[in-house]
Amino acid sequence: MDKAYLRPQVFSTPLILNFMKTLRYFCFILIVPALLVVSCSHRARTVKEVMDHAIAKLYQTKDFAQLSNLDYNQVMALFSKDEKEALATQHWSFDVNQPVMVSVMRSAKQTVVPFWLTEKGFHKTNLTMKNEQTVYEVWQKSFDAGHVGLGVDGFDQELGMHYFVSVAHLNGEDQLTISNFFPKNQFVGVLDNGAFTYHDWDELVLTEVPDEMKGQKLLTTTRGRTADSHLIDAFRSTKYPSSAIPDQVHLSWSSDPSTSMDIQWRTDTTVSSGELNYREKGVREEQTIKADRIRLEDRMLANDRYINHFSAQLYNLQPGTTYEYVIGKTDDWSSANSFTTSSTDNSFSFLWFGDTHFSPKFGEILHLSYEKHPDAAFYSIVGDLVSDGLFRNQWDDLFEYSRGVFDRIPLMAVPGNHDNRAGLGAQLYRDQFSYPLNDPEGVPTEQTYSFTYKNALFLMIDATSPMEPQTPWIEKQLAESKATWKVAMFHFPPYNWEEPYLDIQKAWVPLFDKYHVDLVFSGHIHYYMRSKPMKAGKVVGSYNDGTAYAISIAIPTQNHEIIPEPYAEVRSTTGPFYQYVKIDGNHLSFQTYDNQNKLFDSFEITKPGK
Ligand SMILES: [Fe+2]
Ligand SMILES: [Fe+2]
């Protein structure tokens, strides 16, 4: 029997139609949002969301000692089944257009095999390959055409040798296409001896790649991605946590040094706004300026995860004038700090340091230099200010050791490889310093910039970022500058005893020669070297014809054997040192002091009068 005949005939047809319409309307109103809620709750959570949730749970339930002693089993117990699925499939993913063999190359140094490799059916082969740091096991699994999802690198490495991936087609007929990558901007290379696997260390290349794997599509990564899931030995604390009282006050310029000043500080997150009072010294009339606020997070900093960072930019100041400033509204100017804007003559001095690595010994030599040379217009550090740029506790140390100097004299720095670490970027560096925004495209803002102080151009270059986009920018800055003196500062020294940077010699040194850069200051190799005048890679007769390349170190170093450098005028393997450069019109003097304020090296340049 047709079921329609069983329908009870209670409503007339128009009534039924109206009822059905109303029902449909309510269904739309009620069911669609419900479906959305259901689908949202089933939306796969990202690895970041899963890790944020786990870390929030840890902070609620464990003290610092317990956080510091987390073991693997405790970590695994943090995650639900769905969360484990996200950790197993959403760290690295892509689509393939045909069946493939996916190989995961895992460093044998990693103590615990990532849980998802075995759980998701990868098997360990007898194949291995190497770089100069480690041997990689090769784990493989075949996938059908469609989506491939891979998991986190593990929970116990801060900056380890993250696994990398190769993909090979299984049928050999069609062109293998890999698309829809997460993370985006995936580089696809060719697996072979000599191939690099980490973008943050592209000199580290593969050796002993098995013949049967050569030519496969190689998916590269950065070592820093291990930090995404780091939980074991991962929590830190700071000796100098923030409070409601502003601290870490420091100065820099993002604009003209004769008419502006940038002043920055931090507080805890109970302080939601910041302002600064300033006045010309000796003048009662004062001005108030509101500061910009950003919240900084270091997720693993157990006792001070969030801080508020404030930045106030003072403009329209008078050249050659001393100003007093106080953070917050006050009638009490006795605690005011002061600074002096650049005057209109062509006489000034500055100090620069090699790597400081947040050492208290740097703090000592910094204060020593300040006592001897209070006239310095600014200070500079040529990179590696700290040892891990994303660990805020290290910056807290650095600011503590430099207290009483950088709140009076601006710090104009460039990042080193330790500040911009393992492909993770230099976010804390950028957030905490305020520098000119005249950077080249293709480099993060404020990591490369230039400024002119009186008759000198300073090229502050981030040598840890790609060189190519910076090269035309360097040329433009040099070509357009009318400054008498030209100084370049960047972390990697083109000439040094240990690891000469041939790419810098090739790309930037010809520009330094063409536009006659007087001084090039670098760090990274922890020793002291000041070159003879150099042009086109050769020693020339005078600093009027060639450039002085100098490397310095601001922390103690061990004396050790180094090979000869024929171009070196002065060298030392034991630090620390600081450098005092004084410019007076056409005359420049360069002095290097040790940590007893004893003169260690000096030279002078006088440019022919115009
Ligand atoms: Fe370095
Ligand atoms: Fe260093």
Side-chain angles (χ1 to χ4, degrees):
M1 188 190 286
D2 191 326
K3 287 177 185 170
Y5 288 110
L6 296 173
R7 190 186 296 148
Q9 298 293 308
V10 178
F11 303 109
S12 67
T13 306
L15 270 177
I16 289 168
L17 280 176
N18 280 342
F19 174 74
M20 292 303 286
K21 272 185 197 163
T22 313
L23 192 65
R24 242 182 278 157
Y25 175 75
F26 275 109
C27 282
F28 185 79
I29 295 289
L30 298 173
I31 294 173
V32 170
L35 283 173
L36 278 175
V37 168
V38 169
S39 73
C40 282
S41 67
H42 280 87
R43 180 177 66 81
R45 292 165 69 188
T46 64
V47 168
K48 182 171 186 323
E49 286 167 341
V50 170
M51 293 302 296
D52 277 344
H53 185 244
I55 288 164
K57 209 155 48 172
L58 284 168
Y59 277 136
Q60 281 161 15
T61 55
K62 299 200 185 305
D63 63 23
F64 185 64
Q66 291 168 322
L67 292 172
S68 306
N69 290 307
L70 281 178
D71 63 25
Y72 183 76
N73 292 333
Q74 286 172 308
V75 165
M76 288 306 285
L78 287 169
F79 305 113
S80 68
K81 196 163 162 270
D82 284 352
E83 288 173 331
K84 271 191 199 144
E85 182 64 17
L87 296 176
T89 57
Q90 295 203 45
H91 178 64
W92 196 348
S93 64
F94 48 90
D95 294 342
V96 288
N97 68 333
Q98 58 180 281
V100 290
M101 177 64 76
V102 173
S103 300
V104 167
M105 271 57 77
R106 182 192 86 91
S107 166
K109 275 189 185 170
Q110 187 187 33
T111 43
V112 181
V113 177
F115 73 94
W116 54 273
L117 275 177
T118 43
E119 285 186 15
K120 290 291 175 189
F122 280 81
H123 72 278
K124 188 182 160 190
T125 67
N126 292 325
L127 303 169
T128 59
M129 60 188 81
K130 288 183 181 173
N131 59 31
E132 65 177 28
Q133 295 287 311
T134 190
V135 175
Y136 293 92
E137 299 167 354
V138 178
W139 292 64
Q140 291 183 328
K141 182 186 171 184
S142 57
F143 284 81
D144 290 334
H147 190 66
V148 176
L150 305 173
V152 294
D153 193 63
F155 302 106
D156 58 353
Q157 293 197 87
E158 165 58 26
L159 295 172
M161 294 284 134
H162 193 287
Y163 72 82
F164 61 93
V165 173
S166 70
V167 184
H169 56 69
L170 282 174
N171 60 21
E173 304 261 314
D174 306 324
Q175 184 72 29
L176 169 59
T177 305
I178 315 178
S179 58
N180 194 25
F181 289 104
F182 176 82
K184 286 192 171 111
N185 304 323
Q186 174 70 57
F187 177 80
V188 181
V190 178
L191 182 64
D192 207 339
N193 290 331
F196 76 91
T197 55
Y198 303 115
H199 288 269
D200 55 293
W201 193 354
D202 57 11
E203 294 95 357
L204 187 69
V205 293
L206 291 173
T207 58
E208 300 182 33
V209 173
D211 285 341
E212 61 263 54
M213 294 185 71
K214 284 179 181 167
Q216 293 186 0
K217 287 188 189 282
L218 169 67
L219 308 190
T220 53
T221 186
T222 59
R223 288 174 302 146
R225 290 204 78 208
T226 53
D228 288 6
S229 54
H230 187 214
L231 284 176
I232 296 170
D233 295 327
F235 288 90
R236 289 168 279 106
S237 69
T238 174
K239 284 183 279 179
Y240 308 105
S242 60
S243 72
I245 300 166
D247 65 0
Q248 298 188 352
V249 183
H250 57 281
L251 310 181
S252 64
W253 291 298
S254 63
S255 192
D256 183 349
S258 66
T259 57
S260 75
M261 186 61 78
D262 293 41
I263 304 175
Q264 301 187 74
W265 65 92
R266 72 158 186 180
T267 65
D268 64 22
T269 54
T270 63
V271 181
S272 55
S273 66
E275 59 183 26
L276 182 136
N277 273 12
Y278 66 100
R279 65 182 189 185
E280 211 178 302
K281 196 167 183 177
V283 175
R284 287 188 75 83
E285 190 192 340
E286 60 189 65
Q287 301 206 47
T288 304
I289 183 168
K290 254 197 121 27
D292 294 329
R293 183 196 71 190
I294 51 170
R295 176 171 286 208
L296 305 190
E297 179 189 10
D298 178 350
R299 192 170 69 167
M300 310 312 280
L301 195 59
N303 65 336
D304 203 29
R305 179 173 172 178
Y306 299 101
I307 58 167
N308 280 344
H309 183 84
F310 294 92
S311 182
Q313 290 170 331
L314 280 54
Y315 295 113
N316 300 322
L317 305 176
Q318 293 302 312
T321 305
T322 299
Y323 288 86
E324 297 177 300
Y325 71 92
V326 178
I327 291 164
K329 257 217 155 335
T330 183
D331 293 326
D332 176 15
W333 284 82
S334 62
S335 63
N337 278 327
S338 63
F339 63 84
T340 303
T341 52
S342 160
S343 59
T344 48
D345 61 15
N346 276 330
S347 174
F348 73 102
S349 63
F350 66 95
L351 285 121
W352 72 273
F353 296 86
D355 303 19
T356 59
H357 288 279
F358 74 107
S359 165
K361 294 288 176 193
F362 162 65
E364 288 172 18
I365 198 168
L366 175 74
H367 282 89
L368 207 69
S369 70
Y370 178 62
E371 280 159 28
K372 192 167 175 72
H373 305 285
D375 58 308
F378 64 91
Y379 282 56
S380 187
I381 302 173
V382 290
D384 285 1
L385 283 72
V386 293
S387 295
D388 192 316
L390 295 182
F391 287 5
R392 220 204 65 234
N393 50 304
Q394 297 189 0
W395 292 103
D396 291 350
D397 284 11
L398 183 82
F399 284 121
E400 178 65 21
Y401 303 145
S402 56
R403 194 151 52 95
V405 180
F406 296 148
D407 51 2
R408 285 139 223 227
I409 295 180
L411 172 63
M412 303 300 282
V414 292
N417 53 308
H418 281 270
D419 309 309
N420 186 8
R421 191 113 202 246
L424 291 169
Q427 188 69 39
L428 274 180
Y429 180 93
R430 286 201 304 280
D431 286 344
Q432 293 184 108
F433 295 108
S434 182
Y435 291 136
L437 299 174
N438 59 356
D439 46 277
E441 241 176 77
V443 178
T445 53
E446 299 178 284
Q447 291 181 204
T448 287
Y449 57 93
S450 71
F451 68 101
T452 299
Y453 195 96
K454 297 193 177 183
N455 61 344
L457 170 73
F458 292 87
L459 288 184
M460 312 299 285
I461 305 167
D462 173 14
T464 70
S465 285
M467 289 179 63
E468 215 181 300
Q470 308 201 67
T471 307
W473 179 89
I474 292 171
E475 174 141 33
K476 190 164 182 282
Q477 305 301 308
L478 290 169
E480 289 176 356
S481 175
K482 293 189 169 53
T484 308
W485 300 94
K486 297 183 181 82
V487 182
M489 300 197 207
F490 51 87
H491 189 58
F492 298 133
Y495 302 102
N496 68 76
W497 77 271
E498 192 178 25
E499 187 189 2
Y501 282 83
L502 302 178
D503 47 357
I504 295 177
Q505 289 182 23
K506 203 170 150 212
W508 295 350
V509 164
L511 298 177
F512 302 156
D513 291 339
K514 183 175 171 186
Y515 296 97
H516 189 56
V517 170
D518 301 279
L519 308 167
V520 173
F521 298 154
S522 301
H524 187 56
I525 310 290
H526 291 192
Y527 80 130
Y528 181 87
M529 192 282 289
R530 192 253 300 178
S531 79
K532 297 175 170 136
M534 290 182 76
K535 191 168 187 178
K538 294 193 173 62
V539 172
V540 293
S542 149
Y543 287 120
N544 286 318
D545 300 321
T547 300
Y549 291 86
I551 302 165
S552 190
I553 178 70
I555 57 174
T557 48
Q558 294 287 326
N559 197 5
H560 56 278
E561 282 281 303
I562 54 175
I563 59 167
E565 292 173 272
Y567 49 79
E569 182 74 40
V570 179
R571 298 197 300 171
S572 170
T573 56
T574 53
F577 298 106
Y578 73 87
Q579 290 66 227
Y580 174 73
V581 180
K582 187 157 177 49
I583 287 174
D584 196 355
N586 283 0
H587 184 77
L588 179 148
S589 74
F590 176 109
Q591 297 176 327
T592 298
Y593 292 86
D594 67 12
N595 61 349
Q596 305 299 312
N597 254 338
K598 217 173 106 210
L599 188 66
F600 170 75
D601 181 24
S602 68
F603 69 96
E604 299 191 2
I605 310 172
T606 302
K607 286 191 188 275
K610 285 179 183 165

